[in-house]
Amino acid sequence: MVSPSKALDIFRRLIGPFHLLLVSLSFLPGTIISLLHPLQLRTLLSPRRLQSAWFARFWSRVGTDIRTNLRPRVGPLIAQAHGVVLDIGPGSGEWLSCFDKSKVERIYGVEPNVGCHGKLREKVKEAGLEGVYVVVPVGVEEIGKWIKKGGEGKSGLGKGDVDSVVTVFCLCSVSQPKRMIGELCGYLKDGGNWIVFEHVVTKEKGFIAWYQAFVDLFWPHFIGGCSITRDTVRWLKEAGSWSKVDLVQPEDEPPYQIIPHIMGVLTK
């Protein structure tokens, strides 16, 4: 028989995703109002641009609390980044303070959501990474084009020239994730490491898998295009010939975790 404490924990984890969706929804009216003054019709009339602005507003507030809760896990991972780094989808820069400044030479923050750039640049200053951290305002598939056009910090960012790739809560929201993972793997040099902390599809079958898929019908629309049912672990393992794969699910996540995570490092 399930104990009352376990039953309560199961209920909390089942209802938790929908609570976060409601929190996200509460930021939509404020986003619309902020776009009305001054009038930004291009964003207001584009569902994709509106969603980006909405998520940027939501994440700039909520991201701080999430960083505080997860820093004991994510911080030590990011601190392993070294040399030339690709920081994919940094958002508003919640994790920038986790980089070890003594290990990194140059960090390229690949963030196409311009709504996040203001906060991101503020975090660059707060983390003492000015002159080291470069905001790349395009998606992964456009990094090469941006470099050729003479983007800031264009030197030293070619295929096979990157020492570390960092993906924290971004592979769940990019379009064509499997293709992007392959693209990023190409930038990583032999001996380089890929640091990961991501949402992934549950390993469970039956009700938990069904319920996760049900939540995912709504989740991407409220959380910036994020999907919680991607088989990211398999795609990462298949992307290259890794000399070492050290990926685990956090120990305190039970089998009935609706939004499970994977964390660790792959070494090329």
Side-chain angles (χ1 to χ4, degrees), residues 84-86 108 143-148 153-165 183-190 268:
V84 177
V85 181
L86 275 178
Y108 297 93
I143 292 176
K145 294 179 182 178
W146 183 80
I147 296 169
K148 291 177 181 178
K154 64 178 179 178
S155 61
L157 190 59
K159 293 289 186 175
D161 288 337
V162 172
D163 297 286
S164 296
V165 172
E183 183 78 9
L184 287 173
C185 188
Y187 280 102
L188 199 61
K189 65 173 60 173
D190 290 341
K268 196 170 183 180

Side-chain angles (χ1 to χ4, degrees), residues 27 56-66 92 94 119:
F27 283 85
R57 189 179 182 91
F58 160 73
W59 195 246
S60 67
R61 305 280 187 86
V62 178
T64 300
D65 293 334
I66 292 177
S92 300
E94 291 85 7
K119 288 285 187 181

Side-chain angles (χ1 to χ4, degrees), residues 14-156:
L14 289 176
I15 205 70
F18 285 101
H19 173 260
L20 191 58
L21 295 184
L22 289 175
V23 172
S24 174
L25 184 61
S26 70
F27 283 85
L28 181 57
T31 302
I32 294 173
I33 291 172
S34 70
L35 294 172
L36 288 173
H37 303 283
L39 187 61
Q40 299 182 42
L41 285 177
R42 188 180 180 189
T43 300
L44 284 168
L45 298 178
S46 168
R48 183 175 180 181
R49 290 176 182 273
L50 177 59
Q51 184 187 56
S52 293
W54 171 20
F55 179 72
R57 189 179 182 91
F58 160 73
W59 195 246
S60 67
R61 305 280 187 86
V62 178
T64 300
D65 293 334
I66 292 177
R67 179 191 65 184
T68 300
N69 293 333
L70 293 178
R71 187 183 178 95
R73 291 173 177 163
V74 179
L77 287 174
I78 294 178
Q80 296 180 53
H82 65 283
V84 177
V85 181
L86 275 178
D87 184 19
I88 308 301
S92 300
E94 291 85 7
W95 307 107
L96 264 58
S97 61
C98 297
F99 284 101
D100 186 337
K101 290 183 285 187
S102 67
K103 293 181 181 178
V104 296
E105 300 171 13
R106 194 76 157 171
I107 307 174
Y108 297 93
V110 183
E111 179 51 69
N113 188 344
V114 296
C116 293
H117 288 179
K119 288 285 187 181
L120 178 56
R121 291 193 169 93
E122 288 179 13
K123 294 294 184 181
V124 169
K125 293 180 181 179
E126 291 177 13
L129 291 171
E130 290 179 286
V132 175
Y133 199 99
V134 178
V135 177
V136 181
V138 297
V140 169
E141 67 281 358
E142 297 178 285
I143 292 176
K145 294 179 182 178
W146 183 80
I147 296 169
K148 291 177 181 178
K149 289 181 179 178
E152 178 186 358
K154 64 178 179 178
S155 61

Side-chain angles (χ1 to χ4, degrees), residues 200-215:
V200 292
V201 65
T202 180
K203 294 182 291 185
E204 299 300 308
K205 305 296 182 183
F207 174 77
I208 296 301
W210 174 87
Y211 190 76
Q212 186 191 55
F214 175 70
V215 171

Side-chain angles (χ1 to χ4, degrees), residues 239-266:
S241 299
W242 304 104
S243 62
K244 184 179 181 181
V245 176
D246 184 12
L247 297 175
V248 297
Q249 185 172 339
E251 293 181 356
D252 62 344
E253 291 187 356
Y256 48 85
Q257 179 79 11
I258 303 304
I259 308 179
H261 302 87
I262 199 71
M263 56 183 286
V265 180
L266 301 94

